[in-house]
Every structure is written in structure tokens, then in C-alpha cells.
Amino acid sequence: MNITTQSYKPGEHPSLPPPRNLVGPVKWAKDNLFGSITNTILTIVAVYLLYLIVPAILDYFFFNAAFEGSSRAECREIAKGACWAFIDERISVFTYGFYPVEERWRPNLAFVLLFVALAPVLFDKVPYRGKLLVFSLLYPLLAVLLIVGPVSVESMHFSQGVSGPLTWLVIFAFASALFVYGSKTHNALAMVVGIVPAGFVLVAFFLSDALWISIPDSIGLTNAADDIYIFEPVDTHLFGGVLLTIIIGVTGITLSLPIGIVLALGRYSNLPAIRTLCIMFIEFIRGVPLITLLFVASTMLSYFLPPGTDFDLLLRVLIMVTLFASAYMAEVIRGGLQSLPKGQFEAADAMGLKYWQTMRHIILPQALKVSIPGIVNTFIGLYKDTTLVLIIGLLDILGVGKTAISDPAWNGLSTEVYVFVAVFFFVSCFGMSRYSLYLERKLHTGHKR
Amino acid sequence: MSDVAEKAKSMVNTDEVAIQINQMHKWYGEFHVLKNINLTVPRGERIVICGPSGSGKSTMIRCINRLEEHQQGEIIVDGIELTNDLKNIDAIRREVGMVFQHFNLFPHLTVLENCTLAPIWVRKTPKQEAEETAMHFLNKVKIPEQAHKYPGQLSGGQQQRVAIARSLCMNPRIMLFDEPTSALDPEMISEVLETMIDLAKTGMTMLCVTHEMGFARKVADRVIFMDGGEIIEENEPEEFFTNPQNDRTKLFLSQILNH
Ligand SMILES: Nc1ncnc2c1ncn2[C@@H]1O[C@H](COP(=O)(O)OP(=O)(O)OP(=O)(O)O)[C@@H](O)[C@H]1O
Ligand SMILES: [Mg+2]
């Protein structure tokens, strides 16, 4: 090839394709596998080790594994490898825990809708994104209603007298009036102070058994006395397995990000009171192991609550897991905030943007983008940490697995269970990390200065 | 309000005076960075500020839009006094555009989005109108074809011109420049200076910290020399360069002109 030796007049040299040996798989193999003598030796050794290990693993888990049988002994008769029949028999417990069989369509539906709700949040080329985002916002309510069913809010029942429902109504009327007033006069404080209680009343009513049980009951639509419901309430003690893991993981992940952002902005703020409060919260939560917080949630909290209050254990755990993750999230995001040059704030100030406008349009998009690896790291950590709930007696996928192992008929099959649990977590976490790479690529906007 | 302030205020005719600074002082902790600054800028005047590094030039013009807070004296911009009142600060920032040494474009937004952000959110201009205005000014600074690129994909000179267009999109009555060309490679300086000269021709009130003496000669109505936090000398460009009065000015000029 004499391309390089061909001569052009100065200033007229065309752009040429790169030489063949600089691109393609051959070049890759040369660079990465056989770059030097040491490299070549290591490659050969690695290939030999793979040759030893991989077939044995495939043999144990697939080719020599038993997929049928009703006990460990039967499995062993069929094949020497893994006994997947065990997992197969237990799969419904692994998935739902002890959730009532005839109600399982509800978590199934909630699970499918979860993806409908996530799609517009995760990807921006989804059709009808705007409308779907509204659905995403309402999804948490729907999910609670589907999975847990109506929540008992006794003071909303007219059977308890008029004063209870009336109080709720008055609160709602007053709060929404305040909100309307705030939006008319552009008073953000009045809007916030109004929307929070008004929203709370709406949510409580939407989830309450007054709406789903006592009203349909009184107009003859259902008959609670004969166990006929629109949505039967399901005790959260029955939740388990993948269902419980996903509930805790998804709740923690979706709530810890916004709370973490608020905490990070608070810690970064100029107002000493807010800053101190956020620092205290973050440092306290970070300074205590999650297990301790879970124990507090499961036992100690009942000392502090007024006697007789029944505060759902799962709810307490969700709060603790969320707070824990939020504190970490706040620090990750603060790192992102600190990586921004001061000029970004100054340019925004000089253009007259308000604090929240600056944060929303300029600072957070950039800070969150640099924090993506850390944020996803925290997500994955949180997701795997949900297994700690088994210590306080909740049966997540690992907890269900541990109880399954102690079944005498299937004695000694812990490998299969742990491999199953590991594969479940690996698939979820690997998915998250792939998504974060996609997001980083998408948000990449050319070289930094 | 004190007597002095009252009197000064009555003197200010907002139709003719863009900026009025009276006996202004500023400290960074113990460090007295600006000492007794007095400056009146009539509307439409173009002022070049120069002086050695650390003399307080940046600090002074940053006080005008409250990127820095002054501790004594008063600053009246466009008839509005700068106080801790956020309303005043916002009102002034809407009227004052600023161009920085390091451009400070928003890297996650396209050039067009950079230009429309503030009009849309601060001035509540409809998006379409804001985009038309932005294209108008991108045309003025001669880079309309870059509108959909990200700042990271442009050269330094192009970025600085975008920054100028971005400020102009807010329709400011006053423009502040803090060494707009000193982070640029020599061949890009002239394209930015040309843009600024074009801007000067429109009658914009401009305060410009720069060491580009050619630019000062060409467009400035007045050159101000600062040293040690004080305004040492001010004069018309011709007089200022050919016949400086103060020894420090002479030293400074000899240094930058022989450079
Ligand atoms: N945030 C700050 N805190 C303390 N001192 C500061 C701060 N900002 C600037 N200074 C000091 O104030 C003085 C004036 O700074 P300023 O940036 O206004 O100078 P300048 O004239 O713009 O210089 P240059 O030509 O290098 O930009 C300098 O001595 C600087 O060290
Ligand atoms: Mg400076």
C-alpha cells in the first residue's frame, strides 16, 4: 500500500480511510489478547481455565439437572446435578409469599402496570408520554389499592357518626380553598400549605374502606358480611418473596431520589437552620446501620406510639428503608452539586432566574447527570439490602428461600435456592446498571470545556 | 433613608442615568476590596474599565447586578436602588445582561435553549416568540447555524458570541462584560470584539472590563483605570492613552502596551 507515500500539494490532502489493520476484530484481538508475550500466556491460561470450569457448571445446572420430581430423593434418581423441581414446586411461594391465591391477579396487574408507569419516566421516546406521566404519578395509589386493598380509616365512616367525615370534609374544603387562593395570587407558600393536606385527604379517601367497602355495601353493590368485596383487604403479613422484595425495593428507590434531592439542596443551602437540620438528619441516618433502624421500626417504635395504635410493620419498614437510602442519596447528589462550576450559578443569577428555576433547569439536570453512577449504585445497594428485612421476620425472597430449605422433603438443597435468589438479584441489578449506562450516553452533550 | 442618599436619589434622572454609584465600599472579610467608588454612567455610554490584576474590576461590575454584595454606599441601576429587597434585585437583573470570562453557557442545553431559557422563565415570553428572538440575536452574532448544537461542540469564540446573544435575548438596557476575550485564543478575539462593536453601535449602555486597548480606542466614551480597589483615573480614550496623569496609570499602560 503506498497511500501514505503518494504526494499531494500542500493544503490539498484529502481525508483517507484508516489503514485496514487499525480497525475490526483482528485489531481488537491483537490489542487485547495477544498484545505481548505475557498477554498471550495469560490468554492461553484463561482459556484453559474456562475449558475446565464452564462445562462443569453447565453440566450441573442444565444438562445434568433434574426438572421434575416431588422430593430430593426423586431428583437424585433422575440426575446428579441441580434439582430445579424444588424451585418449581415452590415457585408460587417464592413469587408471592402467602398472598391469597384467588387475589393474586391484583399484584400481577400491579406488576404489569408498573412497567406502563415506568416507561415514560425512563424513556423519552414513549408515545403519549405526557399523558402516561400523569398515570405514573397516580400509579403508587393504584398499586397500594391493588396490592393492599382498602385501608381502614374508621373516622371516614358515617357509621361512626357525622363528626368524623365532616372533619375530613372541612379540612379538605379549607385546604383546597387555600390552594386556589395561592394559585390566584401566585403565593407559593399558600399553594404548598393548601395542597399538602388537601392531597392527603383525597389520597386517604381514595384508599379508604369507606369508599371501597362501606359505600358499596350500603348501596347493595357488595356484601361485606358475606365476604363479597370489590377489593378485599389483604394483610401485609402475608406478603412475601419476590412481591415483597419488589415492593420494598421500588418504594425505596422511587422515594429516596426526590427526598435525597431535597436533603442535598437543603445541605447546600445558604439558610443555616435548614442546612443544620439536613446535616443532622443525614449524619444521624448514615451513622446507624440499617439493621438497627429496622429493629427500631419493628420493636421500639411501638414504645413511642400511643398504645393501641396499629401501625403496619411493612409500612414502618418502608419508611426506614426509604429514609436510609435518602441519606445516602443526598450525599451522592451533593457530590454532583459540588462538581458544578460556580459560573453556572452566577450565570443563572445574572439572568434573573429564581432559586427553584435555577435548580430545576440548570443545576439539578447537570448535578444529577454527573451523579448517575452514584445514584444507581445507591439504588442497587438498597435493592440488595432489602434482604435484611428477614431479620425482623418479613419473608422477602431470601427469607422465603431460607424457610424452604428447612423443608424435610427437600433437605439439603440450599445451593439451588441461593442460586435462584442470586440470579433474581443479578438480573434486576444488571438491568439497572445497563439502564444507567444508556442514560449516561443519552445525556452526553459533547466535550466539556 | 439618610440625607445623602435622599439627595443622590433626587439627582438621578432615570431617563438619562443608567447607573449611579455613590461612595460605595466593599469588604471581603477584613480585606477592603473596593474603596469609595463613585461612578455615574449616562444612558448609552460605553465605558472600558482596566487595571492590574486584583484591582477590583470584576468585583465592581459584579456589584452592579448583585453577584456581589456591597456593604456601604449606594448603587442605583435604572432608577432602582440595590438593597436586600429581592424584588429590586430581580428587577435590576432583568435589565442588566452579563457576559463572563468563561462564557458560563449551560452545557446540557442547546445553544437555542440557552438563549430562550431566561426569556421563557423570567420574562414569561411564549416559547415560539422566545425562539424567534433568539434566532434574531444568533443571526446578529453570526452563528444561526449552530442553534441546535450543544456549547461543548463550539469553539471558544463561538461560545462567547452565544453568551452575548443569550444576554441580549433578555432585552437588557445595560450590558456588563467581564474580560470577555481573555480566555480566548488570539484568532477568536477579533470575532467577539466585532460582535461587541456592533452592539455598541446600537446605543447599548456598556461597561466592559477588558485589556483590549484597540477596542477601547474604537468604541469607548470613557476609560476608567482602577488600582488597589479605587478608581485612580478616568478620561476619554485618546487622552487616557496619550496623556495619562497618574504615575500608576503610566506604569500600567507601559506594561500592557509594550507587551
Ligand atoms: N470571594 C472572594 N473572597 C475574598 N477575596 C476575594 C474574593 N474575590 C476576589 N477577592 C480578592 O479581591 C481582589 C479583587 O478581585 P477582582 O476579581 O475584583 O480583581 P480583578 O481586578 O477582576 O482582577 P483580574 O484582572 O485578575 O480579574 C483580589 O485581591 C482578590 O484576591
Ligand atoms: Mg476579574
Side-chain angles (χ1 to χ4, degrees), chain A residues 273-295:
Chain A
I274 292 182
R275 192 172 57 227
T276 320
L277 216 66
C278 290
I279 291 178
M280 274 165 52
F281 177 86
I282 292 169
E283 295 303 339
F284 172 74
I285 297 277
R286 274 205 311 177
V288 179
L290 178 56
I291 300 223
T292 317
L293 291 176
L294 290 176
F295 273 125

Side-chain angles (χ1 to χ4, degrees), chain B residues 57-59 101 178-179 209:
Chain B
K57 309 178 296 287
S58 300
T59 309
Q101 180 176 6
D178 190 0
E179 306 206 33
V209 177

Side-chain angles (χ1 to χ4, degrees), chain B residues 122-141:
Chain B
V122 179
R123 288 229 190 264
K124 315 281 181 213
T125 315
K127 186 165 178 237
Q128 171 133 27
E129 197 187 319
E131 282 178 357
E132 281 163 16
T133 316
M135 287 314 295
H136 169 79
F137 283 113
L138 287 174
N139 257 312
K140 285 260 150 117
V141 300

Side-chain angles (χ1 to χ4, degrees), chain A residues 14-268:
Chain A
S15 302
L16 302 173
R20 189 81 42 77
N21 58 355
L22 280 183
V23 289
V26 176
K27 136 100 171 152
W28 181 88
K30 221 172 151 187
D31 278 3
N32 294 291
L33 301 178
F34 308 105
S36 66
I37 294 177
T38 346
N39 238 344
T40 312
I41 293 173
L42 284 176
T43 304
I44 292 170
V45 170
V47 168
Y48 180 66
L49 285 178
L50 286 178
Y51 165 75
L52 287 185
I53 296 167
V54 174
I57 289 182
L58 289 179
D59 237 24
Y60 179 81
F61 286 114
F62 298 105
F63 304 127
N64 215 350
F67 293 91
E68 272 158 48
S70 57
S71 72
R72 183 175 188 231
E74 280 182 32
C75 270
R76 281 288 164 275
E77 278 169 25
I78 301 171
K80 284 226 184 63
C83 175
W84 296 122
F86 176 41
I87 305 290
D88 189 40
E89 193 198 82
R90 294 280 175 144
I91 194 73
S92 83
V93 182
F94 272 115
T95 316
Y96 302 100
F98 305 100
Y99 203 92
V101 177
E102 64 280 8
E103 302 289 337
R104 283 183 186 169
W105 64 273
R106 286 160 51 182
N108 287 346
L109 180 60
F111 186 65
V112 172
L113 291 180
L114 173 66
F115 290 96
V116 180
L118 278 181
V121 179
L122 298 184
F123 304 102
D124 52 358
K125 294 214 174 70
V126 178
Y128 304 110
R129 188 171 185 224
K131 289 190 189 113
L132 278 178
L133 276 174
V134 176
F135 175 74
S136 310
L137 268 180
L138 297 178
Y139 174 78
L141 273 183
L142 193 61
V144 173
L145 184 67
L146 277 173
I147 298 175
V148 186
V151 180
S152 159
V153 189
E154 299 224 332
S155 58
M156 278 194 170
H157 292 239
F158 276 105
S159 59
Q160 305 286 314
V162 221
S163 65
L166 211 61
T167 318
W168 288 86
L169 202 65
V170 168
I171 294 176
F172 179 71
F174 187 73
S176 41
L178 191 64
F179 174 74
V180 171
Y181 163 79
S183 63
K184 285 253 164 66
T185 55
H186 297 286
N187 185 337
L189 188 67
M191 282 170 75
V192 172
V193 173
I195 191 91
V196 170
F200 181 79
V201 176
L202 273 186
V203 167
F205 181 65
F206 178 76
L207 292 178
S208 76
D209 52 355
L211 179 64
W212 297 99
I213 296 178
S214 66
I215 294 178
D217 216 27
S218 62
I219 59 172
L221 202 63
T222 61
N223 190 345
D226 287 346
D227 276 2
I228 301 170
Y229 299 101
I230 301 176
F231 289 116
E232 188 172 1
V234 178
D235 195 328
T236 57
H237 290 116
L238 301 176
F239 295 7
V242 173
L243 173 64
L244 186 65
T245 300
I246 292 185
I247 290 178
I248 303 176
V250 170
T251 313
I253 284 174
T254 43
L255 291 181
S256 65
L257 185 60
I259 299 179
I261 290 175
V262 170
L263 284 172
L265 290 181
R267 186 163 188 174
Y268 207 64

